[in-house]
Amino acid sequence: MADTPMVSLTIEGRQVQVPAGTSILEAAKVAGVLVPHYCYHPGLPVAGVCRMCLVEVEKSPKLAPACATSVAEGQIVHVHSEASLKARQGVLELLLINHPLDCPICDQSGECELQDYTFREGRAEGRLGPDPKRFNPVEDFGGDVLYVPNRCILCTRCVRFMDDVVHDPVLNVSERGDRALIGKFEGQDLTHEWAPNVVDLCPVGALLSKDFLNKARAWELDRTPSICPNCTQGCNAIFETRDNVVVRMRPRSNADVNQWYLCESGRLDYKWLSPATRIEAPLVRHGDKLSAVDWESAIRAAATTLGGARVVALVSPMLSNESLHLAARVVAKTGGTGVFRVRTGPEAPLEGVPDLALRTERAANVKGAELLGFTKSASPLDTLASGDVLLVIGETLTAADAPALARAGKVIVIGTSLPDEARGATVALPSSTMAEEEGTFTNLRGRVQRYMQATAAPGMTRPAWWILADLLTQLGEPTATFLASEVFAALAASHPAFAGMSYDTLGLKGQIMSGEPAAQEAAR
Amino acid sequence: MGYPHKSHPKETPILSKYFGEPQARTLEGWKQRGGYRALQQALGMTPADIVNVVKESGLRGRGGAGFPTGMKWSFMKPGDGKAHYLCVNADESEPGTFKDREIMRWTPHALIEGTAIGAYAIGAETAYIYIRGEFTEPLRIMEDAVKEAYAAGLLGANAMGSGKRIDVHVHRGAGAYICGEETALMNSLEGRRGNPRIKPPFPAVAGLFGLPTTINNVETLAAVPHILNNGAAWYKAMSLSSPKSTGSKLFSVCGNVTRPGNYEVTMGYPFKDFLYDMCGGPLPGRKFKAVIPGGSSVPIQSMEEAESTLMDYEGFVAKGTMLGSGGVIVFDDSQCMVRHIARLARFYAHESCAQCTQCREGTAWTTKIMERIEAGQGTFQDFETLLEIGDNMTGKTICVLSDSCAVPVVSGLQKFRHEFEAHITGKRCPFRTAAAA
Amino acid sequence: MSAQREGASQADPLSHASRGNVGEIPYEPVFVGAMRDELNALLGRYPNKMAALLPALWMVQRERGWVSEEAMVEVAQLLELTPAYVKGVVTFYTMYHQHPVGRYFIQVCTTSPCLACGADKVVESLLSQTGCGDLGATSPDGRFTVIEVECLGACGFATPIMVNEEFIESVTPEKVPQILTRFK
């Protein structure tokens, strides 16, 4: 980096200095100026086909495509001069020639870049007159993707993405002229794990997610920064909610983790974040029945249950660092053991991005669980001896767990639901899903990342860390933590891997733990 | 020569001297006519010297751009350790142009010789002759001639015993006008869609397969052996008007004219004389109305402009158009200009590669409006729309196909507005009532 | 751009039952024996396999009269490209037929220079004389298909037509019946 010469230029009256070889479009970002564009994307090879980014460069006879033109010393660039505005208005008008007036029924409406720029800079009226628009029927591209050719502006982001980032060139541009459309080959579909990113990349409503089809309007959605919880990669995500239900997961860019992408398995597995059936009040067994009680009574009952027997804590690797930290302290306090299991699946890398894959371990915080002293095992409940107390925290119980549950002397469940297998539990404490709380995960590379609360926790449910803090206090180890950040601070103070970290230092991009290879690389 | 007609005495038959003589096709026949002496001479010169001779001669690209050939060749840096390529642009698809096919089917060895000299001059060991897919006869004849040349040791690992390798391959296109654009030609050769590339990088830096490449037109390369045989001064002296336009040029004449065909004249020849005398003037009972002198992508000329034009690069520019490819399309008073402009718009819309928004949508929209006007369903508002679309399509795209579509529309509205207006006011094409069309 | 196909994330399309074929006739590969030798010789002209794509497609059309989807798969496999990529190229170039056409495929230039010389009358004459009736339709006896094409580069020899690989110049409506008798 040290040897790259710098170039100074002026963009919209602002002076900037950027490394030689930077495009005018990227230099404009540095200057805080957005050059409107469609086909350009920082993760894709430059195409220069949409022609939206034409800017005026003084002393140049023609307008220059900002995405495909390198900066030159002393250039004076105008993005909003009359010539540039006219050229952009021309592009917008021509894009709308064959583009149907689908806004009322198009999923993209409200987050459509064609709408956005047309509203800002386009013509107020169309003048196509009686001339007909071209028509092609909707196509199923396979996987989660639908293609609506009529809306396509031929920016070719999807084709370049599949070619150069996914390395699975199943999309092409077919035909010529205004008959052109995106095509594929019969029998070869967008079934690649990373293919649905074309839906995000598409600036308009030409590529749509079948999962999201007609589900919600973009302006009805609230958006919260979060982390995809479905594997150990820790891709940064945005949880989009409507009426307090997560309806979509979109990628949030992080150059060090997932660039601009989310895999299909991860992004489509969000329904469990808003479970339909769940327990919403603490339950305590009285005789052969479970009754709803207040939190204090429930905590007392749980603490009593934990006393005097061997405790096996089965935690979920989906729990936050905060919850796992307090869970570990509960385990230590009771002199028990902590175990966890994790569902696995095949790894699916995104070839064109370094170190990005759908990971085999399909939970967000395996590393956190390991660091905090929990033992990973394929059948962790084998260690449960007859009469032991089983403390389940966040882990989903299934019919396969029935023998272990039967062996256990007593069962305490902290979770969102109480399955039939666990109806014999002594105490059931309702916890929130990760969408209903804030916290942190540690990804497989030791990056600690924050996620924010996207939905309100229903009924009397509480984050697991809050339940565990109260439990710990009841067990004789008072914790004066009332916020997730305070729990994290306690964790950072007591565990060397997390030393020096706080919610402030983590920000929204995360931080690599000291001692991890990546941190050493960054420090160099 | 005015092939298929007899040579006109005022022609300068150099490239076209043997059009119509089947014997000139064979290697033997070509050698008898002086062939391959220039290549022999060239292989004994340094590439730099050959480049200088061509520079000195003033030869300019005959495909349409008119870029000085010697200068283009000098962009190829010798001794860079990379493979260099020469691509011969035989994609001839510009409406009105049909000269390269004649060069290839009558004097294939002229092209091979020029190609070999060009390849050697730019440090290329491999040359591809990209011939449009429809040219089945030139394809066959060029393949046969290349085989002959290899068999005689003129091409190959040891071209004419010089120790230099010169390989020439014929490559068939598959129906795309845009592949005549030099960067689209390279993409097509590489087995891709014929999409033009953004420049920079320029072909001489990163072209075919990412390596330094020069692309030359057939007629340009066919002139090279003559320049080497007769000297740069000889070629430069052939100039009747502007000193920046030297040598002879094959003009393809077509449309409503008595003797359509290819005519070779010295640069600067008077256009009026050319049209009325050399080409035989209009058909009986007809008058010339309009002419497009350089292939459909150059502005339409009124006869008043045409009749005072001198036929060279500067001369055509001075009279509101360009020399382009030299494809002279003549329209007489029986033809409807609106109909032809609509048809040309349809041509460009069909050939657009679809990359740039302005071209992809603009060519199609222009065609729709033009066809509506032709059918008598246009409005005066459409004129303004056409001109604005034309302005949007000019100077804003990766290649100039977009600009080319706007040209006939803009120049047509400029010079034949009355015909457009007649379609609006009369609500029909005034020419369609005529019995003969 | 990388057109290389990595991994076998897609099912083998050649095993896909009779798509694009007439009836249940299994696909016969084109590039066997002498054709394979010819392709190999062709590959020697270029520094990579992708550059042989257009020539390979011409070989397919020469043999079969058109380029089927199975043929696209075969070519893709031989040249280490994906079928989607090959299809994108095939659909760009107008001369590759993507479905069977009449035994004699007639292309008529109707761009302005030829139009000014009566190309539209030649088209009319051909459509009626062949029995095709409409552009793009195959005649009832399966012999002819007639289409309009853009400039064929023989403007001074108006109106040029192509019948398969044969280029015929200076066609007029009067000459059409005579010309057609050559194509049985």
Side-chain angles (χ1 to χ4, degrees), chain C residues 28-63:
Chain C
E28 287 282 342
V30 168
F31 293 98
V32 291
M35 289 290 277
R36 189 59 181 268
D37 295 338
E38 191 184 329
L39 179 65
N40 287 335
L42 213 60
L43 285 167
R45 296 183 174 190
Y46 309 99
N48 64 42
K49 291 188 173 168
M50 189 157 94
L53 179 53
L54 268 73
L57 291 169
W58 277 120
M59 288 177 69
V60 170
Q61 187 150 296
R62 195 182 77 206
E63 281 300 293

Coordinates of all heavy atoms in Angstrom, one line a residue, chain C residues 28-63:
Chain C
E28 N -27.5 -38.1 -30.6 CA -26.2 -38.7 -31.1 C -25.2 -37.6 -31.1 O -25.4 -36.5 -31.7 CB -26.4 -39.1 -32.5 CG -27.2 -40.4 -32.7 CD -26.4 -41.6 -32.4 OE1 -25.2 -41.5 -32.4 OE2 -27.0 -42.7 -32.1
P29 N -24.1 -37.8 -30.4 CA -23.0 -36.7 -30.3 C -22.5 -36.4 -31.7 O -22.4 -37.3 -32.6 CB -21.9 -37.4 -29.5 CG -22.5 -38.4 -28.7 CD -23.7 -38.9 -29.5
V30 N -22.2 -35.2 -31.9 CA -21.7 -34.7 -33.2 C -20.2 -35.0 -33.4 O -19.7 -35.4 -34.4 CB -22.0 -33.2 -33.3 CG1 -21.2 -32.6 -34.5 CG2 -23.5 -32.9 -33.5
F31 N -19.5 -34.7 -32.3 CA -18.0 -34.7 -32.4 C -17.4 -36.1 -32.1 O -16.8 -36.3 -31.1 CB -17.5 -33.6 -31.4 CG -17.8 -32.2 -31.9 CD1 -18.9 -31.6 -31.3 CD2 -17.2 -31.6 -32.9 CE1 -19.3 -30.3 -31.7 CE2 -17.5 -30.4 -33.3 CZ -18.6 -29.7 -32.7
V32 N -17.6 -37.0 -33.1 CA -17.0 -38.3 -33.0 C -16.3 -38.5 -34.3 O -16.6 -37.9 -35.3 CB -18.0 -39.4 -32.8 CG1 -18.6 -39.3 -31.4 CG2 -19.1 -39.4 -33.8
G33 N -15.3 -39.4 -34.2 CA -14.6 -39.7 -35.5 C -13.9 -38.5 -36.2 O -13.2 -37.8 -35.5
A34 N -14.2 -38.4 -37.4 CA -13.6 -37.4 -38.3 C -14.0 -36.0 -37.7 O -13.2 -35.0 -37.8 CB -14.1 -37.5 -39.7
M35 N -15.2 -35.8 -37.2 CA -15.6 -34.5 -36.7 C -14.8 -34.2 -35.5 O -14.4 -33.0 -35.3 CB -17.1 -34.6 -36.3 CG -18.1 -34.6 -37.4 SD -18.1 -33.1 -38.4 CE -19.2 -32.1 -37.4
R36 N -14.5 -35.2 -34.7 CA -13.6 -34.9 -33.5 C -12.2 -34.5 -33.9 O -11.6 -33.6 -33.4 CB -13.6 -36.2 -32.6 CG -12.9 -36.0 -31.3 CD -13.6 -34.9 -30.4 NE -13.0 -34.7 -29.2 CZ -13.3 -35.4 -28.1 NH1 -14.3 -36.3 -28.1 NH2 -12.7 -35.1 -26.9
D37 N -11.7 -35.2 -34.9 CA -10.4 -34.8 -35.5 C -10.4 -33.4 -36.0 O -9.5 -32.6 -35.7 CB -10.0 -35.8 -36.6 CG -9.8 -37.2 -36.1 OD1 -9.6 -37.4 -34.9 OD2 -9.9 -38.1 -36.9
E38 N -11.5 -33.1 -36.7 CA -11.6 -31.7 -37.2 C -11.6 -30.7 -36.1 O -10.9 -29.6 -36.2 CB -12.8 -31.6 -38.1 CG -12.8 -30.3 -38.9 CD -14.1 -30.1 -39.7 OE1 -14.7 -31.2 -40.1 OE2 -14.5 -29.0 -40.0
L39 N -12.3 -31.0 -35.1 CA -12.4 -30.0 -33.9 C -11.0 -29.9 -33.3 O -10.6 -28.8 -32.9 CB -13.4 -30.5 -32.9 CG -13.5 -29.6 -31.7 CD1 -14.1 -28.2 -32.0 CD2 -14.5 -30.3 -30.6
N40 N -10.3 -31.0 -33.1 CA -9.0 -31.0 -32.5 C -8.1 -30.1 -33.3 O -7.3 -29.4 -32.8 CB -8.4 -32.4 -32.3 CG -9.2 -33.1 -31.2 OD1 -9.7 -32.5 -30.3 ND2 -9.1 -34.4 -31.2
A41 N -8.2 -30.3 -34.7 CA -7.3 -29.4 -35.5 C -7.6 -28.0 -35.3 O -6.7 -27.1 -35.3 CB -7.5 -29.9 -37.0
L42 N -8.9 -27.7 -35.2 CA -9.4 -26.3 -35.0 C -8.8 -25.7 -33.7 O -8.4 -24.6 -33.7 CB -10.9 -26.4 -34.9 CG -11.7 -25.2 -35.5 CD1 -11.4 -25.0 -37.0 CD2 -13.2 -25.5 -35.3
L43 N -8.8 -26.6 -32.7 CA -8.3 -26.1 -31.4 C -6.9 -25.6 -31.5 O -6.5 -24.8 -30.7 CB -8.5 -27.2 -30.3 CG -9.9 -27.5 -29.9 CD1 -10.0 -28.8 -29.1 CD2 -10.4 -26.3 -29.0
G44 N -6.1 -26.2 -32.4 CA -4.7 -25.8 -32.5 C -4.6 -24.4 -33.0 O -3.5 -23.8 -32.9
R45 N -5.6 -23.8 -33.5 CA -5.5 -22.4 -34.0 C -5.5 -21.3 -33.0 O -5.2 -20.2 -33.2 CB -6.6 -22.1 -35.0 CG -6.6 -23.0 -36.3 CD -7.8 -22.5 -37.2 NE -7.7 -23.2 -38.4 CZ -8.5 -22.8 -39.5 NH1 -9.3 -21.8 -39.4 NH2 -8.4 -23.5 -40.6
Y46 N -6.0 -21.7 -31.8 CA -6.3 -20.7 -30.7 C -5.6 -21.1 -29.5 O -5.3 -22.3 -29.2 CB -7.8 -20.6 -30.5 CG -8.6 -20.5 -31.7 CD1 -9.3 -21.5 -32.3 CD2 -8.7 -19.2 -32.3 CE1 -10.0 -21.4 -33.4 CE2 -9.5 -19.0 -33.4 CZ -10.1 -20.1 -34.0 OH -10.9 -19.9 -35.2
P47 N -5.2 -20.1 -28.6 CA -4.5 -20.4 -27.4 C -5.4 -21.0 -26.3 O -4.9 -21.4 -25.3 CB -4.0 -19.0 -27.0 CG -4.8 -18.0 -27.6 CD -5.3 -18.7 -28.9
N48 N -6.8 -20.9 -26.5 CA -7.6 -21.5 -25.5 C -8.8 -22.1 -26.1 O -9.1 -21.9 -27.3 CB -8.0 -20.5 -24.4 CG -8.9 -19.4 -24.9 OD1 -9.8 -19.6 -25.7 ND2 -8.6 -18.2 -24.4
K49 N -9.6 -22.9 -25.4 CA -10.7 -23.7 -26.0 C -11.9 -22.8 -26.3 O -12.6 -23.1 -27.3 CB -11.1 -24.8 -25.0 CG -10.1 -25.9 -24.9 CD -10.6 -27.1 -24.1 CE -9.5 -28.2 -24.2 NZ -9.8 -29.3 -23.3
M50 N -12.1 -21.8 -25.5 CA -13.3 -21.0 -25.7 C -13.3 -20.3 -27.1 O -14.4 -20.2 -27.7 CB -13.3 -19.9 -24.6 CG -14.6 -19.1 -24.6 SD -14.9 -18.4 -23.0 CE -14.3 -16.8 -23.2
A51 N -12.1 -20.0 -27.6 CA -12.1 -19.3 -28.9 C -12.6 -20.2 -30.0 O -12.9 -19.8 -31.1 CB -10.7 -18.8 -29.2
A52 N -12.6 -21.5 -29.8 CA -13.1 -22.4 -30.8 C -14.6 -22.6 -30.8 O -15.2 -23.4 -31.5 CB -12.5 -23.8 -30.6
L53 N -15.3 -21.8 -30.0 CA -16.8 -21.9 -29.8 C -17.5 -21.7 -31.1 O -18.3 -22.5 -31.5 CB -17.3 -21.0 -28.7 CG -18.8 -21.1 -28.4 CD1 -19.3 -22.5 -28.2 CD2 -19.2 -20.2 -27.2
L54 N -17.3 -20.5 -31.7 CA -18.1 -20.2 -32.9 C -17.8 -21.2 -34.0 O -18.7 -21.8 -34.6 CB -17.8 -18.8 -33.4 CG -18.8 -17.7 -32.9 CD1 -18.6 -17.4 -31.5 CD2 -18.7 -16.5 -33.7
P55 N -16.5 -21.6 -34.3 CA -16.3 -22.6 -35.3 C -16.9 -24.0 -34.9 O -17.4 -24.6 -35.8 CB -14.7 -22.7 -35.3 CG -14.2 -21.4 -34.8 CD -15.3 -20.9 -33.8
A56 N -16.9 -24.3 -33.6 CA -17.5 -25.6 -33.2 C -19.0 -25.6 -33.5 O -19.6 -26.6 -34.0 CB -17.2 -25.9 -31.8
L57 N -19.7 -24.5 -33.2 CA -21.1 -24.3 -33.5 C -21.4 -24.4 -34.9 O -22.4 -25.0 -35.4 CB -21.6 -23.0 -32.9 CG -21.6 -23.0 -31.3 CD1 -21.9 -21.5 -30.9 CD2 -22.6 -23.9 -30.7
W58 N -20.5 -23.9 -35.8 CA -20.7 -24.0 -37.2 C -20.6 -25.5 -37.6 O -21.4 -25.9 -38.5 CB -19.7 -23.2 -38.0 CG -20.0 -21.7 -38.1 CD1 -19.3 -20.7 -37.7 CD2 -21.1 -21.2 -38.8 NE1 -19.9 -19.5 -38.0 CE2 -21.1 -19.8 -38.7 CE3 -22.2 -21.8 -39.5 CZ2 -22.0 -19.0 -39.3 CZ3 -23.2 -20.9 -40.1 CH2 -23.1 -19.5 -39.9
M59 N -19.7 -26.2 -37.0 CA -19.6 -27.6 -37.3 C -20.9 -28.3 -37.0 O -21.4 -29.2 -37.7 CB -18.4 -28.2 -36.6 CG -17.1 -27.8 -37.2 SD -15.7 -28.5 -36.2 CE -15.8 -30.2 -36.6
V60 N -21.5 -28.0 -35.8 CA -22.7 -28.6 -35.4 C -23.8 -28.3 -36.5 O -24.6 -29.2 -36.9 CB -23.2 -28.1 -34.0 CG1 -24.6 -28.6 -33.7 CG2 -22.2 -28.6 -33.0
Q61 N -23.9 -27.1 -36.8 CA -25.0 -26.7 -37.8 C -24.8 -27.3 -39.1 O -25.7 -27.7 -39.8 CB -25.1 -25.2 -37.9 CG -26.3 -24.7 -38.7 CD -26.9 -23.4 -38.3 OE1 -27.3 -23.2 -37.1 NE2 -26.8 -22.4 -39.1
R62 N -23.5 -27.5 -39.5 CA -23.2 -28.1 -40.8 C -23.7 -29.5 -40.8 O -24.3 -30.0 -41.8 CB -21.7 -28.1 -41.0 CG -21.2 -28.3 -42.4 CD -19.7 -28.3 -42.5 NE -19.1 -29.6 -41.9 CZ -17.9 -29.7 -41.4 NH1 -17.1 -28.6 -41.3 NH2 -17.4 -30.8 -41.0
E63 N -23.5 -30.2 -39.7 CA -23.9 -31.6 -39.6 C -25.4 -31.8 -39.4 O -26.0 -32.8 -40.0 CB -23.2 -32.3 -38.4 CG -21.7 -32.6 -38.6 CD -21.6 -33.6 -39.7 OE1 -22.0 -34.8 -39.6 OE2 -21.0 -33.2 -40.8

